[in-house]
């Protein structure tokens, strides 16, 4: 019983708050002025520790293993960062190819065109409509074009706006009087065009997901395009007289 009483007295003495000593009667204005006059020193380690208590670090509440942290969450790859700059800035920011003129001409010929040079200020390549059409191949795509048509192709290398081009992979020519089919191309035929602009196609969203794996990826892609204006078609008779049936 004696030991129990001693324990109770000890606990009661610790739980009772100690009375603080009375402060000297100093006015609030005097305290404020003295606190402002004192220079602020560098923070002590105790102050930094108290700040950490009030501003805890970012916590990660995860229900996965630590090995999945790298593949977790949605990642947005900015392939379309060109939208922030604009089309002209994005085209100008590209690095030069570092190829010789012969290599550029050979690569353009494989795609199906040849660069003649820039369009002069006095030149007027656009002509009125002519009753003829051609089927040309540019890269892996085929287009049926007539005089004055505009087409969008994949970005053509080594050519700028207002450059004159010759599309030399002509697969077929047709008019009101005759039709010529190549085997596979027509060597004497040519289609002239002018580069009007280099643009970007509408954005396409690519979304990947693996269920039950916490895996999601979202990407955006904008295809680079070149707009061509057809000026003339050569290699076929364009007369409007129809041959009479015998």
């Amino acid at each position: 019983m004696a030991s129990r009483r001693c324990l109770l007295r000890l606990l009661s003495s610790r739980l009772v708050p100690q009375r603080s000593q009375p402060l000297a009667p100093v006015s609030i204005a005097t305290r404020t002025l003295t606190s402002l006059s004192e220079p602020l020193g560098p923070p002590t380690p105790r102050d930094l520790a108290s700040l950490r208590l009030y501003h805890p670090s970012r916590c990660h509440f995860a229900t996965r293993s630590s090995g999945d942290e790298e593949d977790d969450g949605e990642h947005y790859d900015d392939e379309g960062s060109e939208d922030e700059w604009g089309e002209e800035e994005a085209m100008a920011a590209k690095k030069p190819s570092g190829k010789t003129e012969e290599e550029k001409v050979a690569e353009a010929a494989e795609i199906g065109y040849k660069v003649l040079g820039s369009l002069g200020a006095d030149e007027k390549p656009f002509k009125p409509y002519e009753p003829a059409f051609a089927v040309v191949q540019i890269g892996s795509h085929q287009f049926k074009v007539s005089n004055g048509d505009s087409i969008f192709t994949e970005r053509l290398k080594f050519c700028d706006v207002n450059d004159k081009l010759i599309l030399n992979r002509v697969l077929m020519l047709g008019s009101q009087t005759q039709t010529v089919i190549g085997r596979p191309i027509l060597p004497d035929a040519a289609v002239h065009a002018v580069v009007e602009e280099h643009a970007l196609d509408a954005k396409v969203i690519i979304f990947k997901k693996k269920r039950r794996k916490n895996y999601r990826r979202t990407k955006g892609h904008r295809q680079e395009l070149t707009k061509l204006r057809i000026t003339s078609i050569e290699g076929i008779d364009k007369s409007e007289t129809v041959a009479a049936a015998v």
Side-chain angles (χ1 to χ4, degrees):
M1 294 294 291
S3 61
R4 187 175 297 177
R5 291 174 184 173
C6 293
L7 182 61
L8 290 175
R9 288 178 184 176
L10 181 62
L11 291 175
S12 61
S13 63
R14 288 191 177 183
L15 291 176
V16 172
Q18 299 179 359
R19 296 181 180 179
S20 58
Q21 298 179 359
L23 298 175
V26 182
S27 62
I28 298 175
T30 308
R31 294 178 189 174
T32 308
L33 292 175
T34 55
S35 62
L36 291 176
S37 61
E38 295 178 357
L40 296 177
T44 61
R46 183 176 295 177
D47 298 337
L48 295 177
S50 62
L51 289 176
R52 289 172 189 168
L53 292 175
Y54 290 106
H55 301 280
S57 60
R58 183 178 178 183
C59 300
H60 298 275
F61 300 95
T63 58
R64 64 195 181 284
S65 61
S66 60
D68 299 337
E69 291 182 359
E70 298 179 356
D71 299 336
D72 169 42
E74 297 183 3
H75 298 270
Y76 294 90
D77 299 337
D78 295 336
E79 288 188 2
S81 61
E82 298 174 355
D83 304 341
E84 301 177 0
W85 295 358
E87 298 177 2
E88 298 179 358
E89 290 81 356
M91 299 299 180
K94 292 191 174 181
K95 298 181 180 180
S97 60
K99 298 183 179 180
T100 61
E101 293 295 332
E102 291 78 8
E103 293 176 352
K104 292 180 180 179
V105 171
E107 188 170 350
E110 291 180 0
I111 298 174
Y113 69 96
K114 179 181 178 182
V115 182
L116 297 180
S118 180
L119 185 65
D122 300 334
E123 295 185 31
K124 296 181 179 180
F126 303 103
K127 303 176 182 178
Y129 173 76
E130 297 174 348
F133 72 91
V135 178
V136 296
Q137 181 176 355
I138 304 174
S140 59
H141 301 275
Q142 298 179 4
F143 304 89
K144 179 183 178 182
V145 296
S146 298
N147 185 23
D149 291 349
S150 61
I151 58 175
F152 284 92
T153 68
E154 293 186 359
R155 177 71 155 82
L156 299 181
K157 304 178 181 179
F158 320 124
C159 64
D160 298 326
V161 178
N162 291 333
D163 280 357
K164 296 181 293 183
L165 305 181
I166 291 182
L167 309 179
N168 44 29
R169 282 194 178 182
V170 183
L171 306 179
M172 180 178 178
L173 289 175
S175 65
Q176 293 186 357
T177 58
Q178 60 179 340
T179 300
V180 185
I181 301 175
R183 300 181 181 181
I185 62 174
L186 298 171
D188 299 333
V191 176
H192 293 259
V194 175
V195 179
E196 286 195 345
E197 64 174 335
H198 295 297
L200 295 174
D201 199 1
K203 179 175 285 189
V204 179
I205 302 299
I206 302 99
F207 181 74
K208 301 179 182 179
K209 179 181 178 180
K210 297 180 181 179
R211 61 176 185 174
R212 297 192 297 272
K213 301 298 181 182
N214 201 11
Y215 177 87
R216 284 171 292 179
R217 296 292 184 272
T218 304
K219 292 184 179 181
H221 174 72
R222 297 189 68 182
Q223 180 65 38
E224 297 181 0
L225 302 176
T226 298
K227 184 180 180 181
L228 301 179
R229 178 74 64 175
I230 307 300
T231 57
S232 63
I233 299 174
E234 297 180 357
I236 192 171
D237 185 16
K238 303 173 186 177
S239 60
E240 299 183 2
T241 57
V242 181
V246 179

